[in-house]
């Protein structure tokens, strides 16, 4: 689960797990409605080369390459359910400004579940993640 993306000395994976664990410990009481909330986050390079977003209605995940810098954009969501963490990842490797790439399979997340959205740039499918950033949303 952990990867080498760093943000101000804190691993994104650790932050996501901490946030998700907090959700598991502080879940809303039964019957309490948590509104769905989309999430959008940009990479931390000086001219954001990448964007990731999560649409809560229907649970859609997108990665968007916004800069012709030779790097791909990777977006990942993480959530906690059923006693374990789940992730879905999508890469946009088709070049800048050629639209976004959507995670191809249906993502089933229970309404009211917090998701952590991460986005970063990397060189190739196994490159080192760079300029990572994260934000939370709700399914």
């Amino acid at each position: 689960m952990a990867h080498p993306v760093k943000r101000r000395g804190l691993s994104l994976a650790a932050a996501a797990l901490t946030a998700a664990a907090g959700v598991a410990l502080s879940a809303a009481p039964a019957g309490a409605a948590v509104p769905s909330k989309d999430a959008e986050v940009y990479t931390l390079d000086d001219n954001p080369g990448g964007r990731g977003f999560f649409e809560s209605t229907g649970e859609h995940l997108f990665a968007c390459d916004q800069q012709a810098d030779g790097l791909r954009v990777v977006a990942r969501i993480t959530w906690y359910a059923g006693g374990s963490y789940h992730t879905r990842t999508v890469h946009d490797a088709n070049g800048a400004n050629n639209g976004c790439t959507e995670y191809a399979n249906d993502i089933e997340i229970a309404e009211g579940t917090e998701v952590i959205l991460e986005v970063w740039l990397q060189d190739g499918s196994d490159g080192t993640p760079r300029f990572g950033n994260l934000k939370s949303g709700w399914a």
Side-chain angles (χ1 to χ4, degrees):
M1 169 87 190
H3 56 77
V5 176
K6 300 283 184 182
R7 181 175 182 233
R8 296 185 187 118
L10 179 65
S11 163
L12 288 177
L17 290 175
T18 300
V23 169
L25 296 175
S26 63
V34 176
S36 53
K37 180 180 119 187
D38 296 345
E40 179 177 38
V41 65
Y42 291 84
T43 56
L44 291 175
D45 45 325
D46 58 356
N47 183 16
R51 174 173 69 105
F53 66 95
F54 171 74
E55 289 180 352
S56 58
T57 303
E59 292 93 28
H60 299 279
L61 173 64
F62 298 88
C64 308
D65 190 347
Q66 302 183 151
Q67 189 176 50
D69 54 10
L71 302 173
R72 70 177 55 207
V73 175
V74 182
R76 173 172 58 195
I77 55 170
T78 303
W79 72 97
Y80 185 84
S84 61
Y85 294 98
H86 306 272
T87 63
R88 300 295 183 268
T89 304
V90 62
H91 293 235
D92 185 0
N94 64 5
N97 297 315
N98 284 324
C100 298
T101 301
E102 181 177 3
Y103 182 80
N105 300 318
D106 190 28
I107 305 173
E108 293 292 329
I109 305 172
E111 297 300 314
T113 301
E114 184 177 27
V115 298
I116 305 301
L117 170 64
E118 300 172 81
V119 67
W120 64 87
L121 301 176
Q122 73 183 45
D123 188 6
S125 61
D126 295 323
T128 301
R130 298 186 254 178
F131 304 110
N133 201 0
L134 61 87
K135 189 173 188 177
S136 65
W138 297 88

